[in-house]
Amino acid sequence: MTLLLRKRGPTLSPLQWRWRWTLADPVAPSPPPKGPVGNAPFRWADIPASRSLAWHPCYTSPGSNSGSRLRQFDCARLNVPMDWQDPSDSLRVVLAIIRLRAASFPANTTSSPSPNRAYRGPIIFNPGGPGGSGIWALRDHGADLQAIVGDDYDIVSFDPRGVGASTPRIECWGGNARDRAVWELQDVGNVDAHPGVLYDVFARAGAFSRVCEATLGEEGILRHSSTSSHARDMLEIWEGMGEKKIRYWGFSYGTVLGGTFAAMYPDKVERMVNDGNVDYKEWYCGSYINFLHDTDKVMDAFYEFCHQAGPLRCAFYAATPQLIRIRLNTLLSTIRMTPVLIPSSPASPSGPDMPELVTYSKVKRMLSTALYQPVYRFRRVAAVLAALENGDGAPYHSYTAPERPSLPTFCPADDTLVPPFNPGDPGPDEDTPDAFPVIMCSDAQLFNESVSEFEAYALRLQEISSAAGAVQTAFRLSCVGRSVRPKWRFAGPFEAKNTSFPLLFVNNLADNVTPLVSARNNSAGFEGSVLLMQNSYGHTSLTAASRCTAEWVRRYFREGQMPPAGTVCEADAVPFGDDGPVVGLEGTGGDELSVAVRRLAGDARWGRQFQPQY
């Protein structure tokens, strides 16, 4: 459920906010990508699309995680059928693909590596979503993933059909950023914010579905966006590289893609790691109940670790964990009735240009987001909560400001300032938020429930998780009112699949959206597979550094070694720990593997794409 999409800020509607969450606070935007020659910016449109995989030099820096290392990227645009069941020359999709070369590649070539050098081939990875950009993810933190498995592997990723630099893109507003911004500003709050809000939320969800289908039409990409098509695309990419059996590493929604691929093509699997497991059956039936099984365990960790840390490291401290829980519930009840006002301060670089209300819905969304990455977020969120108790919204504004969309200060009288949109043009986006509901609802069974049925579902979800149930109703909301069905929809079976090599499943003991039981269910369907557990909180193992987990992943890919059944790896950091909220960003001493896992867990930019986002 990766929930690996970029969150534009907790001021958005529950539906749009959910599709854009991030695991961590974004920082300043990346500079324009450098091309292979001089300082000319790289443009995807300059690479010709071809029906055979042809690599071209593209980006020359692997991103912020790699320090001083300068490594070569190659890019390709692969032209494939939009409809794999009835391929035609008129209905096509162009996939944007990127490769971080193994160190064994000869310099200045995009050909195969020299046979007399050590080289193990490619590993393809998916960062999650659906809708997350593999291009952005590989540029940003591909070097650290490569450090875990070894730099004698290539690391390959791609923007799935409808996403980012792949074309055509799934854009429900036709690329009109102004219309999207105006719609998102009409946020009505969480379903539990006030009596009757649920009905408004339900109506808005249906309205958005109708807009999306009217914009994209009933044919084309909407009918060909299910995960089965993505899996077939991935097979085409893999075989285009001259490989026979896939080596794959997927996170969150990437576990859906991985599991679907393994079920469809069990004889094509050489190695597969699925980390942060979405329950396959729940995903494909569209029930969205089981995914919150462990959510409140992560919220309980906030109370427990805050109490253990003491008042110096947790600003929301109380004498017992239960008193911290009561303190938070009291704050939420107060803010529901009396939101905190942040006065406008246009002269201050850190203050809002206009007055802002910190409402109950905003605080609940902030807390729900914090559950994805407790080591990084809990300490900062505690300080925000303590300030809100005193009527001070400034820390809240500072905490959320980097995640807010940049909106124009005026609206043009005509459309001259709105650039023309062509869904066939490659885009540089870190994520494509509209792809999330389209892909998810294509995979799920069709359901057009009434508002009373949804109300019962929302109540049940809040009973399962008081911490995030109301916020996470957005998953099911995203399918309200959708009528276009995929032409090709694979929905299992996921049982008794004897893959050509056993799968490795990885999961936290307490994951807020992909619980341990989902990993157990998935593993039970694949003969010989093993579940590696990590004793940590949050979404996917990467939210808490664990050298133990990284070493097992490395052994699995390199040697085919599986951990013994029941293996539990300890995390190297805990929420409110001595290292503080940005563990791993500074002073990362140790060998390359240790540095890589700490950077992946603590890097504030990891979640901009790697989302979260299911």
Side-chain angles (χ1 to χ4, degrees):
M1 289 186 151
T2 330
L3 295 164
L4 300 181
L5 296 181
R6 185 178 182 182
K7 179 172 76 66
R8 300 290 184 181
T11 57
L12 302 185
S13 70
L15 205 55
Q16 293 294 329
W17 172 86
R18 185 61 195 88
W19 299 339
R20 293 183 173 206
W21 71 270
T22 181
L23 290 175
D25 296 328
V27 295
S30 301
K34 299 297 175 58
V37 179
N39 290 322
F42 167 70
R43 299 194 322 146
W44 279 96
D46 292 338
I47 294 181
S50 61
R51 299 196 182 192
S52 59
L53 196 60
W55 295 109
H56 300 261
C58 51
Y59 308 99
T60 55
S61 173
S64 62
N65 280 358
S66 61
S68 60
R69 288 178 297 174
L70 184 65
R71 301 290 292 281
Q72 178 64 57
F73 284 106
D74 303 316
C75 296
R77 296 180 70 218
L78 184 63
N79 187 313
V80 302
M82 182 176 286
D83 183 354
W84 278 109
Q85 295 184 315
D86 185 19
S88 70
D89 289 333
S90 58
L91 209 57
R92 311 290 294 185
V93 167
V94 177
L95 303 173
I97 310 164
I98 188 169
R99 172 177 70 180
L100 174 59
R101 294 185 190 182
S104 55
F105 261 109
N108 302 319
T109 180
T110 57
S111 62
S112 299
S114 173
N116 62 354
R117 295 177 181 233
Y119 176 68
R120 289 178 173 266
I123 294 173
I124 192 165
F125 101 96
N126 180 279
S133 168
I135 304 297
W136 184 90
L138 187 61
R139 288 187 60 229
D140 188 70
H141 38 264
D144 286 326
L145 295 174
Q146 191 179 58
I148 291 176
V149 297
D151 66 3
D152 43 4
Y153 286 104
D154 300 327
I155 305 295
V156 177
S157 194
F158 66 104
D159 282 356
R161 55 173 60 201
V163 174
S166 293
T167 59
R169 287 195 306 282
I170 298 173
E171 293 278 1
C172 291
W173 295 101
N176 191 317
R178 183 177 59 193
D179 286 355
R180 180 186 297 278
V182 170
W183 172 257
E184 291 176 351
L185 287 171
Q186 299 177 44
D187 177 22
V188 297
N190 288 347
V191 296
D192 67 334
H194 301 287
V197 171
L198 179 142
Y199 308 116
D200 296 340
V201 170
F202 185 87
R204 277 177 55 80
F208 178 77
S209 294
R210 288 190 289 273
V211 166
C212 193
E213 294 186 350
T215 300
L216 295 174
E218 296 185 0
E219 299 298 329
I221 193 67
L222 274 187
R223 291 201 67 206
H224 302 282
S225 295
S226 67
T227 299
S228 55
S229 294
H230 296 291
R232 181 61 182 86
D233 290 343
M234 193 161 67
L235 177 63
E236 191 76 2
I237 293 170
W238 194 253
E239 293 181 339
M241 292 188 290
E243 301 288 332
K244 295 181 180 179
K245 295 186 178 183
I246 197 167
R247 291 177 290 273
Y248 176 84
W249 195 359
F251 299 90
S252 195
Y253 166 77
T255 67
V256 177
L257 178 57
T260 301
F261 183 97
M264 292 173 64
Y265 311 109
D267 59 333
K268 298 287 187 181
V269 177
E270 180 177 316
R271 300 284 191 276
M272 180 173 288
V273 176
N274 288 324
D275 187 329
N277 284 263
V278 179
D279 191 299
Y280 301 145
K281 292 181 180 179
E282 178 166 89
W283 177 265
Y284 278 105
C285 76
S287 58
Y288 313 128
I289 290 290
N290 184 58
F291 76 107
L292 295 185
H293 185 274
D294 290 344
T295 306
D296 282 4
K297 292 181 182 178
V298 186
M299 191 69 235
D300 288 344
F302 176 87
Y303 310 130
E304 295 286 344
F305 283 102
C306 175
H307 176 254
Q308 292 177 20
L312 294 180
R313 291 205 303 269
C314 180
F316 210 64
Y317 173 82
T320 68
Q322 180 61 18
L323 288 176
I324 298 174
R325 181 196 303 269
I326 293 172
R327 183 177 176 182
L328 177 58
N329 289 337
T330 301
L331 172 63
L332 290 170
S333 297
T334 300
I335 288 183
R336 177 184 258 136
M337 299 294 293
T338 311
V340 173
L341 172 66
I342 307 176
S344 60
S345 54
S348 170
S350 60
D353 293 335
M354 299 180 64
E356 178 181 353
L357 289 178
V358 183
T359 63
Y360 169 85
S361 293
K362 292 178 181 180
V363 176
K364 288 286 283 188
R365 294 172 191 173
M366 178 188 70
L367 291 169
S368 179
T369 303
L371 301 180
Y372 287 94
Q373 200 177 27
V375 171
Y376 179 77
R377 286 187 178 268
F378 274 7
R379 194 165 171 180
R380 302 177 66 202
V381 165
V384 172
L385 295 174
L388 289 174
E389 277 186 322
N390 296 320
D392 181 7
Y396 171 88
H397 179 80
S398 299
Y399 176 71
T400 59
E403 301 172 351
R404 300 167 188 270
S406 298
L407 297 177
T409 55
F410 67 93
C411 293
D414 53 35
D415 289 335
T416 57
L417 296 184
V418 179
F421 172 74
N422 182 351
D425 291 339
D429 296 341
E430 297 161 16
D431 61 73
T432 305
D434 295 342
F436 177 88
V438 169
I439 296 168
M440 187 186 74
C441 301
S442 292
D443 286 346
Q445 294 177 359
L446 177 65
F447 63 91
N448 285 309
E449 60 190 354
S450 66
V451 67
S452 59
E453 291 171 322
F454 174 75
E455 185 175 24
Y457 165 78
L459 289 173
R460 184 179 178 190
L461 217 58
Q462 291 170 71
E463 291 171 356
I464 295 171
S465 172
S466 60
V471 176
Q472 301 291 21
T473 58
F475 285 119
R476 187 136 174 173
L477 272 169
S478 63
C479 297
V480 170
R482 293 189 180 265
S483 60
V484 176
R485 299 303 296 153
K487 182 178 179 181
W488 185 21
R489 175 182 174 268
F490 179 84
F494 295 99
E495 293 85 14
K497 290 294 182 179
N498 188 12
T499 52
S500 53
F501 194 87
L503 276 58
L504 176 61
F505 293 89
V506 181
N507 222 87
N508 289 343
L509 292 180
D511 188 307
N512 58 306
V513 285
T514 54
L516 184 61
V517 66
S518 295
R520 295 190 189 279
N521 292 342
N522 292 350
S523 179
F526 287 91
E527 295 178 5
S529 67
V530 172
L531 170 59
L532 173 65
M533 296 167 282
Q534 181 170 300
N535 186 18
S536 61
Y537 301 87
H539 184 47
T540 82
S541 69
L542 293 177
T543 59
S546 172
R547 183 185 174 93
C548 169
T549 299
E551 286 178 339
W552 276 117
V553 170
R554 185 184 183 97
R555 290 186 202 124
Y556 173 78
F557 275 116
R558 300 184 69 82
E559 304 160 20
Q561 185 177 354
M562 306 285 283
T567 298
V568 177
C569 281
E570 294 297 325
D572 299 336
V574 297
F576 299 103
D578 292 335
D579 288 317
V582 289
V583 57
L585 285 179
E586 303 294 341
T588 52
D591 60 81
E592 186 177 31
L593 181 61
S594 297
V595 171
V597 296
R598 291 205 298 264
R599 255 194 314 238
L600 286 170
D603 185 354
R605 301 195 60 207
W606 170 247
R608 292 184 73 181
Q609 191 298 118
F610 179 71
Q611 126 201 102
Q613 183 144 74
Y614 192 87

